[in-house]
Amino acid sequence: MSEGRLVIGTKRYSSWSLRGWLPVRLAGLSVSEEVIPLRQPDSSVRIAHASPNAKVPFLEHRTVKVWDSLAIAEYCAELKPELWPENRDARAMARSISAEMHSGFQGVRSAMPMNLGRIQRPLKEPLSEAVTKDIARIDSIWAEARHRFGGEGAYLFGHSFTNADVAFAPIVARFLSYEVDVSDVSRAYIEAVRRHPLVERWYEEAEGEPREWLVDAFETIE
Ligand SMILES: N[C@@H](CCC(=O)N[C@@H](CS)C(=O)NCC(=O)O)C(=O)O
């Protein structure tokens, strides 16, 4: 029986929704999904009606309401502590890089919106300094986490897909779409995240969304 609902946006485009959906599914919460297509004439009204901060994702679990993807990730980690690394040092880094992702990387975010239907198609314009800087920082975050805590596992903090991997999953999608050049360590990490069963599932479900949900502004970026 469903214990609530998760309100999200178009899976093809909504990076924040992916950051809410992954921890909910990793924690095994039994909630139904309500997908509101983004950038349609009634999107803002529908989202404002469904969610306290007029944004997606929004989670209602039992009687608890949680909005903002980072708060949802924390809520899910209370129910499934493995969503953060066990080691305190690793956990501190995992939280730091998740927060850094949450509040930064505006360069990559605006130049390379998430579009799961865009496959290995680099931007035509040369990358701006802001974008290049963001890419270098992400590459170094991934390399450091893998070097210090990855061990034999495939993810940032080892074998377990944590909330830190959740935070960077939409970046993985962007780097694949826009064919961003990264180090070998980061390339292997990108492959591992893309192959995670839940990430596979999100891509498949995005592929199955109605064509009417496509947004020209995202599809025509050169
Ligand atoms: N910091 C928020 C950002 C959420 C956000 O900006 N969501 C976008 C969609 S990806 C949204 O709901 N926009 C409102 C709209 O499209 O009307 C989070 O982490 O959840």
Side-chain angles (χ1 to χ4, degrees):
M1 202 189 76
S2 170
E3 294 188 314
R5 65 187 180 132
L6 177 68
V7 186
I8 55 178
T10 315
K11 288 183 170 165
R12 185 179 180 96
Y13 305 126
S14 187
S15 53
W16 296 114
S17 295
L18 176 56
R19 291 191 181 96
W21 183 87
L22 280 169
V24 163
R25 294 301 168 219
L26 286 161
L29 268 57
S30 169
V31 292
S32 61
E33 263 172 53
E34 187 180 326
V35 183
I36 301 179
L38 298 178
R39 302 279 197 113
Q40 304 296 319
D42 61 349
S43 302
S44 300
V45 172
R46 287 184 65 190
I47 295 172
H49 185 72
S51 164
N53 68 339
K55 289 193 188 311
V56 287
F58 168 58
L59 170 68
E60 209 166 352
H61 180 237
R62 299 177 186 148
T63 56
V64 180
K65 294 182 198 307
V66 202
W67 56 96
D68 198 288
S69 60
L70 195 51
I72 293 172
E74 288 289 1
Y75 178 79
C76 292
E78 287 185 21
L79 303 172
K80 187 176 164 83
E82 299 84 347
L83 282 175
W84 291 118
E86 194 182 357
N87 170 281
R88 182 183 288 165
D89 192 4
R91 200 162 61 247
M93 183 179 180
R95 281 207 161 99
S96 299
I97 63 177
S98 302
E100 186 177 344
M101 179 69 251
H102 202 71
S103 60
F105 300 110
Q106 212 50 56
V108 161
R109 250 186 226 162
S110 48
M112 301 176 177
M114 189 171 99
N115 177 357
L116 303 188
R118 182 178 178 126
I119 318 263
Q120 294 182 311
R121 187 152 64 84
L123 291 173
K124 286 214 170 108
E125 294 292 315
L127 300 179
S128 71
E129 200 186 323
V131 177
T132 312
K133 225 169 125 189
D134 281 356
I135 293 169
R137 174 65 187 147
I138 291 165
D139 209 352
S140 95
I141 287 173
W142 289 350
E144 185 186 343
R146 296 275 312 127
H147 174 69
R148 289 177 63 200
F149 303 111
E152 297 297 308
Y155 303 115
L156 293 178
F157 294 89
H159 291 286
S160 196
F161 193 97
T162 68
N163 275 335
D165 301 296
V166 166
F168 285 95
I171 295 290
V172 162
R174 287 174 164 107
F175 282 14
L176 285 168
S177 288
Y178 298 89
E179 212 171 39
V180 172
D181 196 24
V182 286
S183 62
D184 290 350
V185 176
S186 291
R187 201 165 305 122
Y189 173 66
I190 286 173
E191 281 304 308
V193 170
R194 179 62 185 86
R195 279 198 311 269
H196 188 279
L198 284 174
V199 174
E200 285 282 3
R201 182 170 143 197
W202 179 273
Y203 266 81
E204 278 163 21
E205 290 174 1
E207 182 66 31
E209 288 173 336
R211 288 199 58 80
E212 306 83 76
W213 291 8
L214 293 181
V215 175
D216 270 357
F218 295 139
E219 297 298 331
T220 54
I221 292 169
E222 292 294 330

